[in-house]
Amino acid sequence: MNSFKGRSLCIIDDFSKEERLYLFSQVKRLKAAVAADDRAVMDSFRINDPDFGIYEVFLEDSTRTKESFRNAANFHHAKLTEMSTDNSSFNKGESYADTFNTVIGYNNRIFIIRSKVEGVCKYLSQECSSYAARNGLPFVPAFINAGDGKHEHPTQELLDEYTFLEDNEWSTESLHVALVGDLYHGRTVHSKADGLKLWNKVRVDLIAPEELAMPESYVTKMKDNGFEVRTFGSIEEYLNQSDIAKKWYFTRPQLERMGEKILAKADSLRSSITFRKEFMDMLPENTKFYHPLPRHKEHPTIPTFLDETPLNGWERQSINGMYCRIVLLGLVAGKLGDDFIPAAKTEEPKKPEDQWIKEVPGSTGTKKEEISEGVKPIRDGIVIDHICKGDTPSEIRRHMTLIRKVMNLDDFKGGEWVSESANGQFKGLIFRPGTYTLDHKQVKRLAAVAPGCTLNIIENGKVARKFRTSLPPRIYNFDDIMCINEACISNDKQSENVQTMFIKTHDNRYRCAYCGRVHTFKEIFKH
Ligand code: CP
């Protein structure tokens, strides 16, 4: 079994460390064969099938990614098609799913997509597999993310890692790298939050002014992955301390994506992340600069006078792009990788599906419900207690309005209040008299919108049953949840009719399964 065949690469984590190291070993072998003009070895890498369809769909500009993939496909002697997106039926409001399903039907197996829409490859890899199956197509289509909005650029990450390894004597022991530039918009640096796990010990120095700083979720991810992270506001500030990385990875300022206020400060922002001649003597020996490119001809952050210096690592990095993409296509096509032995999977202990709702022991129906503060005890109904314990009263009030909507609780009966406990913490309580039968789906909704609360079922003036909620591991299949990232394929703004799926993070937040945006539980419902 070839474990690479038909695989999609939507985020860098889709390929494990071992799989990437295998890919890099093949890139090294191919580069050596090309350098030696060893035709036999080069031929052993080729798909060599004029009917094997590779489709390039670039909905954003590109030179390196598009051209290196195009040259890689030509190397393979495969059928390469470039969709002319300017005059496709995208312009008639056709969805991504319908568009790609159409061309899958024409015997195309690998899709390389660049789009502003985040999570598009992940979505299509699910959607189009179903299309292929229901139409009896003899393959599973693979999707390669060539850059999706501000999210990820996993094939750039492959070539960056390969180039770092070349300059690290192939050691994966440790890496110290400075990421410089527009860390806010730069999808290449966002892929590094998981990509750099390739090394056992990682130190990352983030150099960017506040306006272009790395989003908090990626910094958190780096720290969760065990990276040591430091932040600096400018190159100057960075060079005025003694612990300077020998690898600097620059990324292009994308000020055009920002508002007027930021544009007014463009010169000073650029200056803080642009390398200057006067800094040369402050660099440690054997420093190398890298850049995914393009660099701006009027405002290059790596000025052209550096091209002829030993600092130049970005040109080889760009050349490596084609070799990494040749090998990637060969692996996904199933031409390469037969000799790769995947690590044995360690089975995760199965968690009970219903861990998010637990009956509190001892709720035997004998205890009297204690609803106080002037409200007459209810005879039959539900009481949701301990809502947002510890939040401010106004936050609790706001959230109780959301709970009412999510749980579709009748607004004309019962009530809610905020009370203060003995230790000074506030909590909310909602009560509704009447008969409420909460099914599995509704209880899951309650756990998602009101984790840590208690749900009391009141019968004959007594607590018949009491449950405690905690956040479900996954939330999906609800019509009223949505990723807050407007660029995400699952956001209503994209009109792609994609159901968001959220996956709980280790710190009790929710990551969108498509674009990776992290949400608090208060942010996932649309209401
Ligand atoms: N590095 C990179 O993605 O460059 P292009 O935008 O030219 O593809």
Side-chain angles (χ1 to χ4, degrees):
M1 257 307 266
N2 184 320
S3 62
F4 291 100
K5 190 173 179 179
R7 289 265 297 277
S8 289
L9 179 65
C10 310
I11 53 174
I12 191 63
D13 240 10
D14 284 341
F15 277 27
S16 69
K17 173 174 170 170
E18 289 70 29
E19 288 172 332
R20 300 204 307 270
L21 288 173
Y22 175 83
L23 184 150
F24 299 145
S25 71
Q26 298 305 311
V27 175
K28 192 176 175 189
R29 206 161 67 81
L30 175 62
K31 272 188 84 173
V34 172
D37 196 24
D38 186 335
R39 296 279 153 168
V41 174
M42 283 161 69
D43 285 346
S44 73
F45 278 83
R46 298 187 209 275
I47 297 171
N48 221 0
D49 178 354
D51 293 323
F52 189 95
I54 298 174
Y55 235 87
E56 278 201 328
V57 184
F58 277 70
L59 293 139
E60 274 190 316
D61 299 339
S62 168
T63 297
R64 271 143 294 275
T65 313
K66 186 163 73 172
E67 299 307 326
S68 61
F69 264 122
R70 193 209 301 261
N71 281 279
N74 288 336
F75 171 92
H76 278 297
H77 302 161
K79 178 185 80 173
L80 172 71
T81 311
E82 191 185 331
M83 184 183 277
S84 47
T85 52
D86 283 350
N87 49 14
S88 77
S89 289
F90 273 128
N91 303 329
K92 299 179 196 164
E94 186 166 33
S95 69
Y96 273 90
D98 284 351
T99 302
F100 282 87
N101 281 340
T102 303
V103 284
I104 281 164
Y106 307 153
N107 197 23
N108 292 297
R109 298 173 183 228
I110 301 181
F111 294 84
I112 300 152
I113 306 173
R114 173 169 288 189
S115 169
K116 282 188 172 62
V117 181
E118 299 178 15
V120 65
C121 284
K122 170 82 180 174
Y123 167 62
L124 290 174
S125 67
Q126 299 163 352
E127 185 63 28
C128 299
S129 298
S130 305
Y131 178 92
R134 69 180 175 262
N135 285 287
L137 303 182
F139 58 88
V140 177
F143 291 84
I144 295 175
N145 178 4
D148 59 339
K150 295 198 296 285
H151 181 213
E152 283 221 23
H153 194 345
T155 66
Q156 178 71 44
E157 178 59 20
L158 289 178
L159 70 100
D160 293 345
E161 288 172 17
Y162 181 82
T163 313
F164 290 163
L165 282 172
E166 268 187 342
D167 292 339
N168 225 24
E169 291 167 352
W170 307 101
S171 166
T172 52
E173 204 39 55
S174 65
L175 185 81
H176 183 193
V177 63
L179 306 180
V180 192
D182 188 345
L183 309 183
Y184 182 77
H185 294 100
R187 53 196 172 203
T188 63
V189 286
H190 298 166
S191 283
K192 292 196 162 26
D194 277 325
L196 298 185
K197 284 186 290 186
L198 197 79
W199 284 269
N200 299 336
K201 187 173 181 302
V202 180
R203 298 174 63 207
V204 179
D205 298 332
L206 305 173
I207 305 174
E210 205 184 327
E211 294 83 348
L212 304 177
M214 182 74 92
E216 179 271 336
S217 62
Y218 290 107
V219 178
T220 304
K221 200 191 262 190
M222 287 182 172
K223 289 180 180 169
D224 289 347
N225 285 335
F227 302 178
E228 199 183 299
V229 182
R230 300 187 298 164
T231 54
F232 300 87
S234 66
I235 291 178
E236 196 158 6
E237 184 192 331
Y238 186 55
L239 288 173
N240 276 307
Q241 50 90 49
S242 56
D243 190 4
I244 300 167
K246 290 187 179 183
K247 290 187 171 52
W248 290 40
Y249 186 93
F250 286 78
T251 180
R252 180 176 76 89
Q254 300 177 43
L255 303 181
E256 70 280 3
R257 295 191 197 249
M258 306 186 86
E260 298 277 304
K261 252 188 178 163
I262 302 292
L263 282 177
K265 294 200 257 181
D267 285 345
S268 81
L269 292 177
R270 274 197 208 100
S271 157
S272 62
I273 50 173
T274 298
F275 195 80
R276 300 198 292 269
K277 246 189 193 129
E278 72 213 54
F279 296 147
M280 287 293 276
D281 295 340
M282 299 164 91
L283 291 172
E285 235 182 298
N286 300 325
T287 300
K288 279 261 182 268
F289 285 180
Y290 307 90
H291 197 309
L293 305 173
R295 64 176 164 185
H296 198 284
K297 61 186 176 187
E298 288 168 22
H299 308 289
T301 53
I302 297 181
T304 49
F305 77 86
L306 293 173
D307 290 3
E308 300 289 342
T309 70
L311 288 172
N312 186 343
W314 60 91
E315 290 177 352
R316 186 167 33 85
Q317 183 190 356
S318 168
I319 291 166
N320 285 339
M322 185 186 70
Y323 294 108
C324 287
R325 287 168 177 136
I326 287 174
V327 173
L328 176 64
L329 290 177
L331 289 170
V332 174
K335 170 70 189 177
L336 307 171
D338 280 348
D339 59 336
F340 174 74
I341 300 161
K345 275 204 176 112
T346 45
E347 284 278 317
E348 288 232 343
K350 273 213 159 65
K351 293 176 187 158
E353 260 301 297
D354 284 350
Q355 63 178 343
W356 36 269
I357 179 88
K358 278 195 187 133
E359 185 147 16
V360 180
S363 53
T364 55
T366 51
K367 191 174 167 245
K368 266 204 139 185
E369 173 55 15
E370 292 160 4
I371 301 176
S372 57
E373 304 203 15
V375 178
K376 199 175 130 201
I378 55 175
R379 190 173 163 73
D380 296 292
I382 56 167
V383 177
I384 304 166
D385 197 1
H386 296 96
I387 296 168
C388 295
K389 196 169 179 180
D391 284 358
T392 63
S394 59
E395 280 172 40
I396 297 172
R397 286 255 170 234
R398 213 172 21 249
H399 196 65
M400 286 199 294
T401 306
L402 177 68
I403 294 172
R404 274 196 342 249
K405 287 179 180 158
V406 169
M407 296 305 295
N408 198 19
L409 292 175
D410 187 342
D411 277 347
F412 299 105
K413 289 191 290 183
E416 50 264 343
W417 66 71
V418 175
S419 63
E420 189 175 1
S421 58
N423 65 4
Q425 279 196 322
F426 293 99
K427 61 171 186 159
L429 181 147
I430 299 175
F431 67 95
R432 288 289 182 276
T435 314
Y436 282 86
T437 42
L438 302 182
D439 63 15
H440 182 267
K441 201 166 176 180
Q442 280 168 309
V443 175
K444 191 169 185 184
R445 287 169 72 79
L446 179 67
V449 73
C453 80
T454 50
L455 167 67
N456 302 275
I457 312 289
I458 312 291
E459 288 172 11
N460 289 322
K462 289 177 186 157
V463 180
R465 296 181 79 183
K466 192 191 263 278
F467 299 91
R468 188 144 294 134
T469 60
S470 56
L471 291 172
R474 281 168 300 152
I475 303 177
Y476 55 99
N477 258 347
F478 294 143
D479 290 338
D480 54 351
I481 56 170
M482 186 176 72
C483 175
I484 56 173
N485 175 11
E486 291 187 359
C488 177
I489 184 93
S490 70
N491 186 284
D492 287 351
K493 278 255 156 65
Q494 299 301 332
S495 304
E496 294 285 336
N497 202 17
V498 177
Q499 276 268 332
T500 305
M501 179 195 251
F502 290 109
I503 296 151
K504 194 171 79 165
T505 62
H506 72 92
D507 58 352
N508 284 331
R509 296 192 290 168
Y510 280 106
R511 187 179 296 285
C512 168
Y514 296 107
C515 74
R517 175 70 71 95
V518 175
H519 303 65
T520 67
F521 72 91
K522 295 180 180 176
E523 292 172 323
I524 63 176
F525 284 93
K526 286 189 214 175
H527 300 280

